[in-house]
Coordinates of all heavy atoms in Angstrom, one line a residue:
S1 N 115.3 64.6 44.1 CA 114.6 63.4 44.6 C 115.3 62.1 44.1 O 115.8 62.1 43.0 CB 113.2 63.4 44.1 OG 112.5 62.2 44.3
D2 N 115.4 61.1 44.9 CA 116.0 59.8 44.5 C 115.2 59.0 43.5 O 115.7 58.1 42.9 CB 116.4 59.0 45.7 CG 115.1 58.4 46.4 OD1 114.1 59.1 46.4 OD2 115.2 57.3 46.9
V3 N 113.9 59.4 43.3 CA 113.1 58.7 42.3 C 113.8 58.8 40.9 O 113.7 57.8 40.2 CB 111.7 59.4 42.2 CG1 110.9 58.9 41.0 CG2 110.9 59.1 43.5
Y4 N 114.4 59.9 40.6 CA 115.0 60.0 39.3 C 116.4 59.4 39.2 O 117.0 59.3 38.2 CB 115.1 61.5 38.9 CG 113.7 62.1 38.8 CD1 113.2 62.9 39.8 CD2 112.9 61.8 37.7 CE1 112.0 63.5 39.7 CE2 111.6 62.3 37.7 CZ 111.2 63.2 38.7 OH 109.9 63.7 38.6
K5 N 116.9 58.9 40.3 CA 118.3 58.4 40.3 C 118.2 56.8 40.1 O 119.3 56.2 39.8 CB 118.9 58.6 41.7 CG 119.3 60.1 41.9 CD 119.9 60.3 43.2 CE 120.1 61.8 43.4 NZ 120.6 62.1 44.8
R6 N 117.1 56.2 40.2 CA 117.0 54.8 40.0 C 116.2 54.5 38.8 O 115.3 55.2 38.4 CB 116.4 54.1 41.2 CG 115.1 54.6 41.5 CD 114.6 54.0 42.8 NE 113.4 54.8 43.2 CZ 112.3 54.3 43.7 NH1 112.3 53.1 44.1 NH2 111.3 55.1 43.9
Q7 N 116.5 53.4 38.1 CA 115.8 52.9 37.0 C 114.7 51.9 37.4 O 115.0 51.0 38.1 CB 116.7 52.3 35.9 CG 117.6 53.3 35.3 CD 118.4 52.6 34.2 OE1 118.7 51.4 34.3 NE2 118.6 53.3 33.1
E8 N 113.5 52.2 37.0 CA 112.4 51.2 37.2 C 111.8 50.9 35.9 O 111.6 51.8 35.0 CB 111.4 51.7 38.2 CG 112.0 51.7 39.6 CD 110.9 51.8 40.7 OE1 109.7 51.6 40.4 OE2 111.3 52.0 41.8
Y9 N 111.4 49.7 35.7 CA 110.7 49.3 34.5 C 109.3 48.8 34.9 O 109.0 48.6 36.0 CB 111.5 48.1 33.8 CG 112.9 48.6 33.5 CD1 114.0 48.3 34.3 CD2 113.2 49.2 32.3 CE1 115.3 48.7 33.9 CE2 114.4 49.7 31.9 CZ 115.5 49.4 32.8 OH 116.7 49.8 32.4
G10 N 108.5 48.5 33.8 CA 107.2 48.0 34.1 C 107.3 46.7 34.9 O 108.2 45.9 34.7
G11 N 106.4 46.5 35.8 CA 106.4 45.3 36.6 C 107.2 45.4 37.9 O 107.3 44.4 38.7
M12 N 107.9 46.5 38.1 CA 108.7 46.6 39.3 C 108.0 47.2 40.5 O 108.5 47.0 41.6 CB 110.0 47.5 38.9 CG 110.9 46.9 37.9 SD 111.6 45.4 38.4 CE 110.8 44.2 37.3
D13 N 106.9 47.8 40.3 CA 106.2 48.3 41.5 C 104.8 47.7 41.6 O 104.4 46.9 40.7 CB 106.1 49.9 41.5 CG 105.3 50.4 40.3 OD1 104.3 49.8 39.9 OD2 105.6 51.5 39.9
K14 N 104.1 48.0 42.6 CA 102.8 47.4 42.9 C 101.7 47.8 41.9 O 100.6 47.2 41.9 CB 102.3 47.7 44.3 CG 102.0 49.1 44.6 CD 101.6 49.3 46.0 CE 101.2 50.8 46.3 NZ 100.8 50.9 47.7
N15 N 101.9 48.9 41.1 CA 100.9 49.3 40.2 C 101.3 49.1 38.7 O 100.8 49.8 37.8 CB 100.7 50.8 40.4 CG 100.0 51.1 41.7 OD1 99.0 50.4 42.1 ND2 100.6 52.0 42.5
S16 N 102.2 48.1 38.5 CA 102.5 47.9 37.1 C 102.7 46.3 36.9 O 103.1 45.6 37.8 CB 103.8 48.6 36.6 OG 104.9 48.2 37.3
W17 N 102.5 45.9 35.6 CA 102.6 44.5 35.2 C 103.4 44.5 33.9 O 103.2 45.4 33.1 CB 101.2 43.9 35.1 CG 100.4 44.0 36.3 CD1 100.4 43.0 37.3 CD2 99.7 45.1 36.8 NE1 99.6 43.5 38.3 CE2 99.1 44.7 38.0 CE3 99.3 46.3 36.3 CZ2 98.3 45.6 38.8 CZ3 98.5 47.2 37.0 CH2 98.0 46.8 38.2
A18 N 104.2 43.5 33.7 CA 105.0 43.5 32.5 C 105.2 42.1 31.9 O 105.3 41.1 32.7 CB 106.4 44.1 32.8
Y19 N 105.3 42.0 30.6 CA 105.7 40.8 29.9 C 107.0 41.2 29.2 O 107.0 42.0 28.2 CB 104.6 40.4 28.9 CG 104.9 39.2 28.0 CD1 105.7 38.2 28.4 CD2 104.3 39.1 26.8 CE1 105.9 37.1 27.6 CE2 104.5 38.1 25.9 CZ 105.3 37.0 26.3 OH 105.5 36.0 25.5
C20 N 108.1 40.7 29.6 CA 109.4 41.1 29.1 C 109.9 40.2 28.0 O 109.4 39.0 27.8 CB 110.5 41.0 30.2 SG 110.1 42.2 31.6
S21 N 110.8 40.7 27.2 CA 111.3 39.9 26.0 C 111.9 38.6 26.3 O 111.9 37.7 25.5 CB 112.2 40.8 25.1 OG 113.4 41.1 25.9
N22 N 112.3 38.4 27.5 CA 112.8 37.0 27.9 C 111.7 36.1 28.3 O 112.0 34.9 28.6 CB 113.8 37.2 29.1 CG 113.2 37.6 30.4 OD1 112.0 37.8 30.5 ND2 114.0 37.7 31.4
G23 N 110.4 36.5 28.2 CA 109.3 35.6 28.5 C 108.8 35.7 29.9 O 107.7 35.2 30.2
T24 N 109.5 36.4 30.7 CA 109.1 36.5 32.1 C 108.1 37.6 32.3 O 108.2 38.7 31.8 CB 110.3 36.8 33.0 OG1 111.3 35.8 32.8 CG2 109.9 36.8 34.5
M25 N 107.0 37.4 33.1 CA 106.0 38.3 33.5 C 106.2 38.8 34.9 O 106.5 37.9 35.8 CB 104.6 37.7 33.3 CG 104.3 37.3 31.9 SD 102.8 36.3 31.8 CE 103.0 35.6 30.2
Y26 N 106.2 40.1 35.1 CA 106.5 40.6 36.4 C 105.4 41.5 37.0 O 104.7 42.1 36.3 CB 107.8 41.5 36.4 CG 109.1 40.8 36.2 CD1 109.6 40.7 34.9 CD2 109.7 40.2 37.2 CE1 110.8 40.1 34.7 CE2 111.0 39.6 37.0 CZ 111.5 39.5 35.7 OH 112.7 38.9 35.5
H27 N 105.3 41.4 38.3 CA 104.5 42.4 39.1 C 105.1 42.6 40.4 O 105.5 41.6 41.1 CB 103.1 41.8 39.3 CG 102.2 42.6 40.2 ND1 101.9 43.9 40.0 CD2 101.6 42.3 41.4 CE1 101.2 44.4 41.0 NE2 101.0 43.4 41.9
Y28 N 105.3 43.8 40.8 CA 105.9 44.2 42.1 C 107.2 43.6 42.3 O 107.5 43.0 43.4 CB 104.9 43.8 43.2 CG 105.0 44.8 44.4 CD1 105.8 45.8 44.5 CD2 104.1 44.5 45.5 CE1 105.8 46.7 45.6 CE2 104.1 45.3 46.6 CZ 105.0 46.4 46.7 OH 105.0 47.2 47.8
S29 N 108.1 43.5 41.3 CA 109.4 43.0 41.3 C 109.5 41.5 41.5 O 110.6 40.9 41.7 CB 110.3 43.7 42.3 OG 110.4 45.0 42.1
K30 N 108.4 40.8 41.3 CA 108.3 39.3 41.5 C 107.9 38.7 40.2 O 107.1 39.3 39.5 CB 107.4 38.9 42.6 CG 107.9 39.4 44.0 CD 107.0 39.0 45.1 CE 107.6 39.6 46.4 NZ 106.6 40.0 47.3
I31 N 108.3 37.5 39.9 CA 107.9 36.8 38.7 C 106.4 36.4 38.9 O 106.0 35.8 39.9 CB 108.7 35.5 38.5 CG1 110.2 36.0 38.1 CG2 108.1 34.7 37.4 CD1 111.1 34.8 38.0
A32 N 105.6 36.8 38.0 CA 104.1 36.6 38.0 C 103.7 35.6 37.0 O 102.5 35.1 37.0 CB 103.4 37.9 37.8
G33 N 104.6 35.1 36.1 CA 104.2 34.1 35.1 C 105.3 34.0 34.1 O 106.3 34.7 34.2
E34 N 105.2 33.0 33.3 CA 106.2 32.8 32.2 C 105.5 32.6 30.9 O 104.5 31.9 30.8 CB 107.0 31.5 32.5 CG 107.9 31.6 33.8 CD 109.1 32.5 33.6 OE1 109.6 32.7 32.4 OE2 109.6 33.0 34.6
G35 N 106.1 33.2 29.8 CA 105.6 33.0 28.5 C 106.8 32.7 27.6 O 107.9 32.4 28.1
E36 N 106.6 32.7 26.3 CA 107.7 32.5 25.4 C 108.5 33.8 25.2 O 108.0 34.9 25.4 CB 107.2 32.1 24.0 CG 106.5 30.8 24.0 CD 106.0 30.4 22.6 OE1 106.6 31.0 21.6 OE2 105.1 29.6 22.5
R37 N 109.8 33.7 24.9 CA 110.6 34.8 24.6 C 110.1 35.5 23.3 O 109.4 34.8 22.5 CB 112.0 34.4 24.3 CG 112.8 33.9 25.5 CD 114.2 33.4 25.1 NE 114.9 33.1 26.3 CZ 115.7 33.9 27.0 NH1 115.9 35.1 26.5 NH2 116.4 33.5 28.0
F38 N 110.3 36.8 23.2 CA 109.9 37.4 21.9 C 111.0 38.4 21.5 O 111.8 38.8 22.3 CB 108.5 38.1 22.1 CG 108.4 39.2 23.1 CD1 108.7 40.5 22.8 CD2 108.0 38.9 24.4 CE1 108.6 41.5 23.7 CE2 107.9 39.9 25.3 CZ 108.2 41.2 25.0
G39 N 110.9 38.8 20.2 CA 111.9 39.7 19.7 C 111.5 40.3 18.4 O 110.3 40.4 18.1
E40 N 112.4 40.6 17.5 CA 112.2 41.3 16.3 C 111.1 40.5 15.4 O 111.2 39.3 15.2 CB 113.4 41.3 15.5 CG 113.3 42.1 14.2 CD 114.6 42.3 13.4 OE1 115.7 42.1 14.0 OE2 114.5 42.7 12.3
G41 N 110.1 41.3 15.0 CA 109.0 40.8 14.2 C 107.9 40.1 14.9 O 106.9 39.8 14.3
D42 N 108.0 39.9 16.2 CA 106.9 39.3 16.9 C 105.8 40.3 17.2 O 106.1 41.5 17.4 CB 107.4 38.7 18.3 CG 108.2 37.4 18.1 OD1 108.0 36.7 17.1 OD2 109.1 37.1 19.0
K43 N 104.6 39.8 17.2 CA 103.4 40.6 17.5 C 102.9 40.2 18.9 O 102.6 39.0 19.1 CB 102.4 40.3 16.4 CG 101.2 41.3 16.5 CD 100.3 41.0 15.3 CE 99.4 42.1 15.0 NZ 98.5 41.8 13.9
I44 N 102.9 41.1 19.8 CA 102.4 40.8 21.2 C 101.1 41.5 21.4 O 100.8 42.6 21.1 CB 103.4 41.4 22.2 CG1 104.8 40.8 21.9 CG2 103.0 41.1 23.6 CD1 104.9 39.3 22.0
G45 N 100.1 40.7 21.9 CA 98.8 41.2 22.3 C 98.6 41.1 23.8 O 99.2 40.3 24.5
V46 N 97.8 42.0 24.3 CA 97.5 42.1 25.7 C 96.0 42.1 25.9 O 95.3 42.9 25.2 CB 98.1 43.4 26.3 CG1 97.8 43.4 27.8 CG2 99.6 43.5 26.0
L47 N 95.4 41.3 26.7 CA 94.0 41.3 27.0 C 93.8 41.6 28.5 O 94.3 40.8 29.4 CB 93.4 40.0 26.7 CG 91.9 39.8 27.1 CD1 91.0 40.8 26.3 CD2 91.5 38.4 26.9
L48 N 93.3 42.7 28.8 CA 92.9 43.1 30.2 C 91.4 42.8 30.4 O 90.6 43.4 29.7 CB 93.2 44.6 30.4 CG 92.7 45.1 31.7 CD1 93.3 44.5 32.9 CD2 92.8 46.7 31.8
D49 N 91.1 41.9 31.3 CA 89.8 41.5 31.5 C 89.4 42.0 32.9 O 89.8 41.5 33.9 CB 89.6 39.9 31.5 CG 88.2 39.5 31.7 OD1 87.4 40.2 32.3 OD2 87.9 38.4 31.2
C50 N 88.6 43.1 32.9 CA 88.2 43.8 34.1 C 87.2 43.0 34.9 O 87.1 43.2 36.1 CB 87.7 45.2 33.8 SG 89.0 46.3 33.3
K51 N 86.5 42.1 34.3 CA 85.5 41.3 35.0 C 86.2 40.2 35.9 O 85.8 40.0 37.0 CB 84.6 40.6 34.1 CG 83.6 41.5 33.4 CD 82.6 40.8 32.5 CE 81.6 41.8 31.9 NZ 80.7 41.1 31.0
T52 N 87.3 39.6 35.3 CA 88.0 38.6 36.1 C 89.2 39.1 36.8 O 89.8 38.5 37.6 CB 88.4 37.4 35.2 OG1 89.4 37.9 34.2 CG2 87.3 36.8 34.5
G53 N 89.6 40.4 36.5 CA 90.8 41.0 37.1 C 92.1 40.3 36.6 O 93.0 40.1 37.4
T54 N 92.2 40.0 35.3 CA 93.4 39.3 34.8 C 93.9 40.0 33.6 O 93.2 40.7 32.9 CB 93.1 37.9 34.4 OG1 92.0 37.8 33.5 CG2 92.7 37.0 35.7
I55 N 95.2 39.8 33.4 CA 95.9 40.3 32.2 C 96.5 39.0 31.6 O 97.1 38.2 32.2 CB 97.1 41.2 32.5 CG1 96.5 42.5 33.2 CG2 97.8 41.6 31.2 CD1 97.6 43.5 33.6
R56 N 96.2 38.8 30.3 CA 96.8 37.7 29.5 C 97.5 38.3 28.3 O 97.2 39.3 27.8 CB 95.7 36.8 29.0 CG 94.8 36.3 30.1 CD 94.5 34.9 30.2 NE 95.5 34.0 29.7 CZ 95.4 32.7 30.0 NH1 94.5 32.3 30.8 NH2 96.3 31.9 29.5
F57 N 98.6 37.6 28.0 CA 99.5 38.1 26.9 C 99.4 37.0 25.7 O 99.3 35.8 26.0 CB 100.9 38.2 27.3 CG 101.1 39.3 28.3 CD1 101.1 39.1 29.7 CD2 101.2 40.7 27.9 CE1 101.2 40.1 30.6 CE2 101.4 41.7 28.8 CZ 101.4 41.4 30.2
F58 N 99.6 37.5 24.5 CA 99.6 36.7 23.3 C 100.9 37.0 22.6 O 101.3 38.1 22.6 CB 98.4 37.0 22.4 CG 97.1 36.8 23.0 CD1 96.5 37.7 23.9 CD2 96.3 35.7 22.7 CE1 95.3 37.5 24.5 CE2 95.1 35.5 23.2 CZ 94.5 36.4 24.1
K59 N 101.4 35.9 22.0 CA 102.6 36.1 21.1 C 102.2 35.5 19.7 O 101.8 34.3 19.7 CB 103.8 35.4 21.6 CG 105.0 35.5 20.7 CD 106.1 34.7 21.2 CE 107.2 34.5 20.1 NZ 108.2 33.6 20.5
K60 N 102.2 36.3 18.7 CA 101.8 35.8 17.3 C 100.5 35.1 17.4 O 100.3 34.1 16.7 CB 102.9 34.9 16.8 CG 104.2 35.6 16.5 CD 105.2 34.7 15.8 CE 106.5 35.4 15.5 NZ 107.5 34.5 14.9
G61 N 99.5 35.6 18.2 CA 98.2 35.1 18.2 C 98.0 33.9 19.2 O 96.9 33.4 19.3
I62 N 99.1 33.4 19.8 CA 99.0 32.3 20.7 C 99.0 32.8 22.1 O 99.9 33.5 22.5 CB 100.1 31.3 20.4 CG1 100.0 30.8 19.0 CG2 100.1 30.1 21.4 CD1 101.3 30.0 18.6
I63 N 98.0 32.4 22.9 CA 97.9 32.8 24.3 C 99.1 32.2 25.1 O 99.4 31.1 24.9 CB 96.5 32.5 24.9 CG1 96.3 33.3 26.2 CG2 96.4 31.0 25.1 CD1 94.9 33.3 26.6
Q64 N 99.7 33.0 25.9 CA 100.8 32.6 26.7 C 100.4 31.9 28.0 O 99.3 32.2 28.5 CB 101.8 33.7 27.0 CG 102.4 34.3 25.7 CD 103.2 33.3 24.9 OE1 104.2 32.9 25.3 NE2 102.6 32.9 23.8
K65 N 101.2 31.1 28.6 CA 100.8 30.3 29.8 C 100.5 31.2 31.0 O 99.6 30.9 31.7 CB 101.9 29.3 30.2 CG 102.2 28.3 29.1 CD 103.4 27.4 29.6 CE 103.8 26.5 28.5 NZ 105.0 25.8 28.8
G66 N 101.3 32.2 31.2 CA 101.2 33.0 32.4 C 99.9 33.9 32.4 O 99.5 34.4 31.4
V67 N 99.3 34.0 33.5 CA 98.1 34.8 33.7 C 98.4 35.7 35.0 O 98.8 35.2 36.0 CB 96.8 34.1 34.0 CG1 95.7 35.0 34.3 CG2 96.5 33.1 32.9
I68 N 98.3 37.0 34.8 CA 98.5 37.9 35.9 C 97.2 38.3 36.5 O 96.3 38.8 35.8 CB 99.3 39.1 35.5 CG1 100.7 38.7 35.0 CG2 99.5 40.1 36.6 CD1 101.5 39.8 34.4
T69 N 97.0 38.1 37.8 CA 95.8 38.5 38.5 C 96.0 39.8 39.2 O 97.0 40.1 39.8 CB 95.4 37.4 39.5 OG1 95.2 36.2 38.9 CG2 94.1 37.8 40.2
I70 N 95.0 40.7 38.9 CA 95.1 42.1 39.5 C 94.1 42.1 40.7 O 92.9 42.1 40.4 CB 94.8 43.2 38.5 CG1 95.7 43.1 37.3 CG2 94.9 44.5 39.2 CD1 95.2 44.0 36.2
R71 N 94.6 42.1 41.9 CA 93.6 42.2 43.0 C 93.0 43.6 43.1 O 93.6 44.6 42.9 CB 94.4 41.9 44.3 CG 94.9 40.5 44.3 CD 95.6 40.2 45.6 NE 96.2 38.8 45.5 CZ 97.0 38.4 46.3 NH1 97.5 39.1 47.3 NH2 97.5 37.1 46.2
D72 N 91.7 43.6 43.4 CA 91.0 44.8 43.6 C 91.1 45.7 42.3 O 91.4 46.9 42.5 CB 91.4 45.6 44.8 CG 91.2 44.8 46.1 OD1 90.2 44.1 46.2 OD2 92.1 44.8 47.0
I73 N 90.9 45.2 41.2 CA 91.1 45.9 39.9 C 90.3 47.2 39.9 O 90.8 48.2 39.4 CB 90.9 45.0 38.7 CG1 91.3 45.7 37.4 CG2 89.4 44.6 38.6 CD1 91.3 44.9 36.2
H74 N 89.1 47.2 40.4 CA 88.3 48.4 40.3 C 88.8 49.5 41.1 O 88.5 50.7 40.9 CB 86.8 48.0 40.6 CG 86.3 47.0 39.7 ND1 86.0 47.2 38.4 CD2 86.0 45.7 39.9 CE1 85.6 46.2 37.8 NE2 85.6 45.2 38.7
K75 N 89.6 49.2 42.1 CA 90.2 50.3 42.9 C 91.4 50.9 42.2 O 91.9 51.9 42.6 CB 90.6 49.7 44.3 CG 89.5 49.3 45.2 CD 90.0 48.8 46.5 CE 88.8 48.3 47.3 NZ 89.3 47.7 48.6
R76 N 91.9 50.2 41.2 CA 93.1 50.6 40.5 C 92.9 51.4 39.2 O 93.8 51.8 38.6 CB 94.0 49.4 40.2 CG 94.5 48.7 41.4 CD 95.3 47.5 41.0 NE 95.8 46.8 42.1 CZ 97.0 46.9 42.6 NH1 97.8 47.8 42.2 NH2 97.4 46.2 43.7
L77 N 91.6 51.5 38.8 CA 91.3 52.2 37.6 C 91.6 53.7 37.7 O 91.4 54.2 38.7 CB 89.8 51.9 37.2 CG 89.5 50.5 37.0 CD1 88.0 50.3 36.7 CD2 90.3 49.9 35.8
P78 N 92.0 54.3 36.6 CA 92.2 53.8 35.3 C 93.5 53.1 35.2 O 94.5 53.4 35.9 CB 92.2 55.0 34.4 CG 92.7 56.1 35.3 CD 92.2 55.8 36.7
I79 N 93.6 52.1 34.3 CA 94.8 51.4 34.0 C 95.3 51.9 32.6 O 94.5 51.9 31.7 CB 94.6 49.8 34.0 CG1 94.2 49.4 35.4 CG2 95.8 49.1 33.5 CD1 93.9 48.0 35.6
V80 N 96.5 52.2 32.5 CA 97.1 52.8 31.3 C 98.1 51.9 30.7 O 99.0 51.5 31.4 CB 97.7 54.2 31.7 CG1 98.3 54.9 30.5 CG2 96.7 55.1 32.4
P81 N 98.0 51.6 29.4 CA 99.0 50.8 28.8 C 100.3 51.6 28.6 O 100.3 52.8 28.4 CB 98.4 50.4 27.4 CG 97.5 51.5 27.1 CD 97.0 52.0 28.5
A82 N 101.4 50.8 28.6 CA 102.8 51.5 28.4 C 103.7 50.5 27.8 O 103.5 49.2 27.9 CB 103.3 51.9 29.8
V83 N 104.7 51.0 27.1 CA 105.7 50.1 26.4 C 107.1 50.7 26.9 O 107.3 51.9 26.9 CB 105.6 50.2 24.9 CG1 106.7 49.4 24.3 CG2 104.2 49.7 24.4
S84 N 107.9 49.8 27.3 CA 109.3 50.1 27.7 C 110.3 49.5 26.7 O 110.2 48.3 26.5 CB 109.5 49.6 29.1 OG 110.8 49.9 29.5
L85 N 111.1 50.4 26.2 CA 112.1 49.9 25.2 C 113.5 50.3 25.7 O 113.7 51.3 26.4 CB 111.9 50.6 23.9 CG 110.5 50.4 23.3 CD1 110.3 51.3 22.1 CD2 110.2 49.0 22.9
H86 N 114.5 49.4 25.3 CA 115.9 49.8 25.4 C 116.7 49.1 24.3 O 116.2 48.2 23.7 CB 116.4 49.4 26.8 CG 116.4 47.9 27.1 ND1 115.3 47.3 27.5 CD2 117.3 47.0 26.9 CE1 115.5 46.0 27.7 NE2 116.7 45.8 27.3
G87 N 117.8 49.7 24.0 CA 118.6 49.2 22.9 C 118.5 50.1 21.7 O 117.6 50.9 21.5
K88 N 119.5 50.0 20.8 CA 119.6 50.9 19.7 C 118.6 50.4 18.6 O 118.3 49.2 18.4 CB 121.0 50.8 19.0 CG 122.0 51.5 19.9 CD 123.3 51.4 19.2 CE 124.4 52.2 20.0 NZ 125.6 52.3 19.3
N89 N 118.0 51.4 17.9 CA 117.1 51.2 16.8 C 115.9 50.3 17.2 O 115.4 49.5 16.3 CB 117.8 50.5 15.6 CG 119.0 51.4 15.2 OD1 118.8 52.6 15.1 ND2 120.1 50.8 14.9
T90 N 115.4 50.4 18.4 CA 114.3 49.6 18.8 C 113.0 50.4 18.4 O 112.9 51.6 18.5 CB 114.2 49.5 20.4 OG1 115.5 48.9 20.7 CG2 113.1 48.6 20.8
V91 N 112.1 49.6 17.8 CA 110.9 50.2 17.2 C 109.7 49.4 17.7 O 109.7 48.2 17.8 CB 110.9 50.1 15.7 CG1 109.6 50.7 15.1 CG2 112.1 50.9 15.1
V92 N 108.6 50.1 18.0 CA 107.3 49.4 18.4 C 106.2 50.2 17.8 O 106.2 51.4 17.5 CB 107.2 49.5 20.0 CG1 107.0 50.9 20.5 CG2 106.1 48.6 20.4
R93 N 105.1 49.4 17.5 CA 103.9 50.0 17.0 C 102.8 49.5 17.9 O 102.7 48.4 18.2 CB 103.6 49.5 15.6 CG 102.4 50.2 15.0 CD 102.1 49.7 13.6 NE 101.9 48.3 13.6 CZ 101.1 47.7 12.7 NH1 100.5 48.3 11.8 NH2 100.8 46.4 12.8
V94 N 102.0 50.5 18.4 CA 101.0 50.2 19.4 C 99.6 50.4 18.8 O 99.4 51.5 18.2 CB 101.1 51.0 20.7 CG1 100.0 50.7 21.7 CG2 102.5 50.8 21.3
N95 N 98.7 49.4 18.9 CA 97.3 49.5 18.4 C 96.4 49.3 19.6 O 96.2 48.2 20.1 CB 97.0 48.5 17.3 CG 95.6 48.5 16.9 OD1 94.8 49.4 17.3 ND2 95.3 47.7 16.0
T96 N 95.9 50.4 20.2 CA 95.1 50.3 21.4 C 93.6 50.1 21.1 O 92.8 49.9 22.0 CB 95.2 51.6 22.2 OG1 94.8 52.7 21.4 CG2 96.6 51.8 22.7
N97 N 93.3 50.0 19.8 CA 91.9 49.8 19.5 C 91.6 48.4 18.9 O 90.6 48.1 18.3 CB 91.4 50.8 18.5 CG 91.4 52.2 19.1 OD1 91.0 52.4 20.2 ND2 91.8 53.2 18.3
A98 N 92.5 47.5 19.1 CA 92.4 46.1 18.5 C 91.2 45.4 19.2 O 91.1 45.4 20.4 CB 93.6 45.3 18.7
E99 N 90.3 44.9 18.4 CA 89.2 44.1 18.9 C 89.7 42.7 19.4 O 89.1 42.2 20.3 CB 88.2 43.9 17.8 CG 87.4 45.2 17.5 CD 86.4 45.0 16.4 OE1 85.8 43.9 16.4 OE2 86.1 46.0 15.7
N100 N 90.7 42.2 18.8 CA 91.2 40.9 19.2 C 92.7 40.9 19.4 O 93.4 41.0 18.5 CB 90.8 39.9 18.1 CG 91.3 38.5 18.4 OD1 91.9 38.2 19.4 ND2 90.9 37.5 17.5
P101 N 93.1 40.8 20.7 CA 94.5 41.0 21.0 C 95.4 39.8 20.5 O 96.6 39.9 20.4 CB 94.6 41.0 22.5 CG 93.4 40.3 23.0 CD 92.3 40.6 21.9
S102 N 94.7 38.7 20.1 CA 95.4 37.6 19.6 C 95.7 37.6 18.1 O 96.4 36.8 17.5 CB 94.7 36.3 19.9 OG 93.5 36.2 19.2
A103 N 95.1 38.6 17.4 CA 95.2 38.7 15.9 C 96.5 39.3 15.5 O 97.1 40.0 16.2 CB 94.0 39.5 15.4

């Protein structure tokens, strides 16, 4: 299958959203918002608001400018968090039970 021959990252298809290290937020291969660049030592938070159908990102506790709107969010459930990494010695720690994504 050609699915395995191409590389796709978060935010490249209609069912994924991404905040990339260059600060760009993507959905369906299109720019959906802009935030600050992030890198080593930065703490990134994600807030999925199912009532408003939005995803907001935080960097070091500061809410980023871009807001991603998810149309028909209730038809897309469940939504599963994912992290995409590339590069040598890349490390990530995920806390899915955080009460406050900005902390």
Side-chain angles (χ1 to χ4, degrees):
S1 165
D2 69 326
V3 168
Y4 299 105
K5 292 179 184 175
R6 60 188 167 142
Q7 288 185 325
E8 287 201 12
Y9 300 97
M12 296 296 111
D13 65 33
K14 66 181 180 179
N15 293 311
S16 67
W17 302 266
Y19 176 30
C20 299
S21 61
N22 68 359
T24 306
M25 298 170 196
Y26 288 99
H27 171 60
Y28 212 0
S29 298
K30 295 180 180 143
I31 294 175
E34 294 286 338
E36 292 182 24
R37 292 177 175 267
F38 62 88
E40 184 176 346
D42 286 336
K43 190 176 196 180
I44 304 300
V46 182
L47 174 64
L48 170 63
D49 186 331
C50 289
K51 288 182 182 178
T52 62
T54 58
I55 299 175
R56 305 235 21 170
F57 295 96
F58 298 79
K59 176 186 167 187
K60 295 184 179 179
I62 299 170
I63 197 161
Q64 298 300 289
K65 296 176 189 173
V67 177
I68 297 175
T69 301
I70 305 170
R71 295 183 184 166
D72 300 321
I73 189 170
H74 299 291
K75 293 179 184 176
R76 296 177 182 264
L77 297 176
I79 294 176
V80 180
V83 176
S84 176
L85 303 172
H86 63 276
K88 290 184 177 184
N89 302 317
T90 304
V91 178
V92 68
R93 183 177 65 148
V94 177
N95 178 2
T96 60
N97 294 319
E99 290 182 27
N100 182 354
S102 66

